[in-house]
Amino acid sequence: MKKPIKKSWMIASALTIGMAVLTPLQAGATSVKPTNGVTVQIEQQITGTINGFDIGGSGVYLKGKDGKNYYISFYKFSKEQREKMNLVEGQEITAEGAVVESHTDFYTFEVYKKENLPKDVPNEVLTKLEKMFNELQKLEKQLKAEMGEMTQEEFDKKYEEITKVYEAMYKIERPYTIASWQPQAFEEFLDDYGFSKKNIIIAEKDKKELKAIYEEWVKLEKDVQIDAANEKMEKFHKILKPYIDQVYPPQTPQTFEEYIGGINLDISAEDLAKLKTIYEDALKADREDNSKLIRKLWGEFYKIIDQFRILPTFEKYMAVYEFKVNKADSKQLKQLYGEILKLDKKEEQAKIKEKWEAFNTILDPYIKANKDILISASKLTINGQVYLPQ
């Protein structure tokens, strides 16, 4: 346990920002309508072969026997169960579960509660946490849906809003989880960094100071003084950094000339000068760990770069999609694409945007129809072995 605030539920939820896809309920999902008019999704059974894995083993991509593409979430299953499955690409599995709209929906409050909270948390605290959890899911879906239209300032504001909810939940959760926390002995904690494997000796003076800070950090964690505990751990890592750098030598960042040389674009001298200034400012912001400024600078950098990118031919552009477009739509798409290629990227941005919107209006129904159907698995059959959530 290096820094308690890095909880698994925070990492899992944060990942959904990058991977969530808002997908409507797919055709083929069975549902019933009770007398009260509320539609209830019935769990369906899918059999297919694995053709990809998710980061962290939280799910697999499946090519169903029905020819459709699926993503099967394992979030309801324990880490121990996932490890026992020993899944490999090309393996056939059968999954039962309900269709969901977004990857965010896999990580339910029940999953969060099971993974992170002891059983003795009072109901009023659970109610409060659930409300905050649902607000977090809502904010993350909004961020994903609006990301393409956001300014950098709007993105930063939404991101900070999400972070505040994470931190507030953690502060409520921590008093209940701390009771079962058994901190490592200092020597064991230190050894986790891999110093002994590299024969790196920590100076006696530094080691003495590190031990004192570690003991203070443990006490602050037990007293649920989260901010003060994080400050102690930052101080701990500052002293330890020269030794960590010996285990994991920091990579020297590319010079601007090295970086831009690998891009191979015909960029004007005026824009090259602008890019160099932004690039060096971004490296400085990275050294200072200024994440907000880093995002802003790289956004500016690639906004300039994008003006000089050369689009591939229409055929190459469409080759990335596995589906086929009918002849009439393909003809329209090709015409729009050709018109986009003829427009000046710097001078005719409004026209380019208009053409891309028309292009995507035609293409989007095909993309939506061929997206992975998202299944939250509640039963798995693998090599004859049945798994149920624990």
Side-chain angles (χ1 to χ4, degrees), residues 254-289:
Q254 288 179 297
T255 64
F256 172 73
E257 288 72 21
E258 289 170 337
Y259 183 88
I260 211 71
I263 292 178
N264 195 27
L265 294 175
D266 187 16
I267 301 171
S268 69
E270 181 186 350
D271 285 306
L272 275 174
K274 289 179 186 176
L275 287 168
K276 184 171 183 176
T277 300
I278 296 170
Y279 184 85
E280 289 173 353
D281 287 346
L283 292 184
K284 184 173 181 288
D286 186 52
R287 289 193 298 271
E288 294 170 355
D289 201 24

Side-chain angles (χ1 to χ4, degrees), residues 24 82 102 118 121 155 183-184 218 228 245 290-291 318 329 337 350 381 384:
R82 295 179 207 174
S102 164
V121 178
F155 176 85
Q184 291 172 285
V218 168
D245 287 347
N290 188 338
S291 57
M318 293 300 294
D329 287 338
Y337 195 83
T381 306

Side-chain angles (χ1 to χ4, degrees), residues 56-109:
S58 56
V60 295
Y61 294 92
L62 206 69
K63 187 69 176 179
K65 284 190 172 181
D66 57 6
K68 296 178 183 178
N69 296 317
Y70 295 89
Y71 174 79
I72 312 296
S73 166
F74 294 167
Y75 261 132
K76 291 179 181 176
F77 297 83
S78 69
K79 184 180 178 182
E80 291 71 26
Q81 284 179 300
R82 295 179 207 174
E83 288 172 354
K84 286 180 182 176
M85 291 174 190
N86 291 322
L87 300 173
V88 295
E89 199 161 329
Q91 186 174 4
E92 183 175 288
I93 70 168
T94 297
E96 291 182 30
V99 174
V100 300
E101 292 184 357
S102 164
H103 281 267
T104 312
D105 297 326
F106 292 137
Y107 200 72
T108 64
F109 181 71

Side-chain angles (χ1 to χ4, degrees), residues 348-374:
E348 300 177 279
Q349 285 294 319
K351 286 184 181 179
I352 290 172
K353 184 179 179 184
E354 186 183 320
K355 296 291 181 185
W356 275 121
E357 285 173 355
F359 186 95
N360 290 328
T361 297
I362 298 168
L363 195 61
D364 278 352
Y366 291 96
I367 293 172
K368 287 178 181 176
N370 286 276
K371 276 181 178 174
D372 295 324
I373 301 171
L374 307 179

Side-chain angles (χ1 to χ4, degrees), residues 207-378:
K207 196 169 185 180
K208 185 177 179 181
E209 190 175 358
L210 286 166
K211 185 175 183 180
I213 294 171
Y214 179 76
E215 289 169 355
E216 289 169 5
W217 172 73
V218 168
K219 186 177 184 301
L220 289 167
E221 283 289 342
K222 287 184 175 180
D223 291 342
V224 200
Q225 296 185 45
I226 296 167
D227 293 336
N230 286 340
E231 285 176 15
K232 285 291 177 189
M233 189 49 64
E234 284 170 11
K235 187 177 179 182
F236 185 95
H237 284 138
K238 190 174 181 179
I239 297 168
L240 208 58
K241 189 178 185 304
Y243 301 101
I244 294 173
D245 287 347
Q246 292 179 57
V247 181
Y248 310 103
Q251 290 184 334
T252 303
Q254 288 179 297
T255 64
F256 172 73
E257 288 72 21
E258 289 170 337
Y259 183 88
I260 211 71
I263 292 178
N264 195 27
L265 294 175
D266 187 16
I267 301 171
S268 69
E270 181 186 350
D271 285 306
L272 275 174
K274 289 179 186 176
L275 287 168
K276 184 171 183 176
T277 300
I278 296 170
Y279 184 85
E280 289 173 353
D281 287 346
L283 292 184
K284 184 173 181 288
D286 186 52
R287 289 193 298 271
E288 294 170 355
D289 201 24
N290 188 338
S291 57
K292 187 174 180 179
L293 182 57
I294 291 168
R295 290 196 299 271
K296 177 179 179 294
L297 290 168
W298 280 116
E300 291 174 5
F301 187 90
Y302 283 108
K303 190 174 180 180
I304 296 173
I305 287 283
D306 285 345
Q307 296 174 13
F308 296 93
R309 292 192 191 280
I310 300 169
L311 289 170
T313 64
F314 173 71
E315 288 71 23
K316 282 187 178 179
Y317 184 89
M318 293 300 294
V320 301
Y321 299 107
E322 293 182 3
F323 54 79
K324 298 293 182 185
V325 179
N326 70 43
K327 285 186 178 179
D329 287 338
S330 183
K331 185 178 179 182
Q332 266 191 287
L333 287 169
K334 188 170 185 177
Q335 181 182 333
L336 286 164
Y337 195 83
E339 290 169 3
I340 291 167
L341 288 176
K342 290 176 184 177
L343 292 169
D344 188 297
K345 283 190 175 184
K346 278 192 171 183
E347 304 296 329
E348 300 177 279
Q349 285 294 319
K351 286 184 181 179
I352 290 172
K353 184 179 179 184
E354 186 183 320
K355 296 291 181 185
W356 275 121
E357 285 173 355
F359 186 95
N360 290 328
T361 297
I362 298 168
L363 195 61
D364 278 352
Y366 291 96
I367 293 172
K368 287 178 181 176
N370 286 276
K371 276 181 178 174
D372 295 324
I373 301 171
L374 307 179
I375 303 288
S376 180
S378 54

Side-chain angles (χ1 to χ4, degrees), residues 147 149-156:
M147 195 177 290
E149 305 298 322
M150 281 182 169
T151 63
Q152 188 63 50
E153 290 73 23
E154 288 169 336
F155 176 85
D156 288 337

Side-chain angles (χ1 to χ4, degrees), residues 68-186:
K68 296 178 183 178
N69 296 317
Y70 295 89
Y71 174 79
I72 312 296
S73 166
F74 294 167
Y75 261 132
K76 291 179 181 176
F77 297 83
S78 69
K79 184 180 178 182
E80 291 71 26
Q81 284 179 300
R82 295 179 207 174
E83 288 172 354
K84 286 180 182 176
M85 291 174 190
N86 291 322
L87 300 173
V88 295
E89 199 161 329
Q91 186 174 4
E92 183 175 288
I93 70 168
T94 297
E96 291 182 30
V99 174
V100 300
E101 292 184 357
S102 164
H103 281 267
T104 312
D105 297 326
F106 292 137
Y107 200 72
T108 64
F109 181 71
E110 286 303 311
V111 174
Y112 153 74
K113 188 170 71 172
K114 182 173 70 174
E115 289 188 355
N116 297 282
L117 298 175
K119 298 187 186 302
D120 58 350
V121 178
N123 285 334
E124 60 270 23
V125 176
L126 289 175
T127 301
K128 190 174 182 179
L129 282 170
E130 185 169 13
K131 184 179 178 181
M132 295 170 79
F133 182 91
N134 292 336
E135 175 64 16
L136 190 61
Q137 301 291 73
K138 179 183 171 184
L139 288 169
E140 289 188 347
K141 283 185 180 182
Q142 285 175 355
L143 180 62
K144 180 62 182 178
E146 300 167 12
M147 195 177 290
E149 305 298 322
M150 281 182 169
T151 63
Q152 188 63 50
E153 290 73 23
E154 288 169 336
F155 176 85
D156 288 337
K157 186 177 178 182
K158 185 68 73 175
Y159 190 84
E160 286 167 13
E161 197 176 349
I162 288 169
T163 302
K164 283 179 182 177
V165 181
Y166 276 134
E167 291 173 349
M169 287 184 71
Y170 179 71
K171 285 181 179 180
I172 294 171
E173 170 198 331
R174 190 61 180 152
Y176 299 97
T177 57
I178 196 67
S180 59
W181 177 48
Q182 294 297 324
Q184 291 172 285
F186 170 71

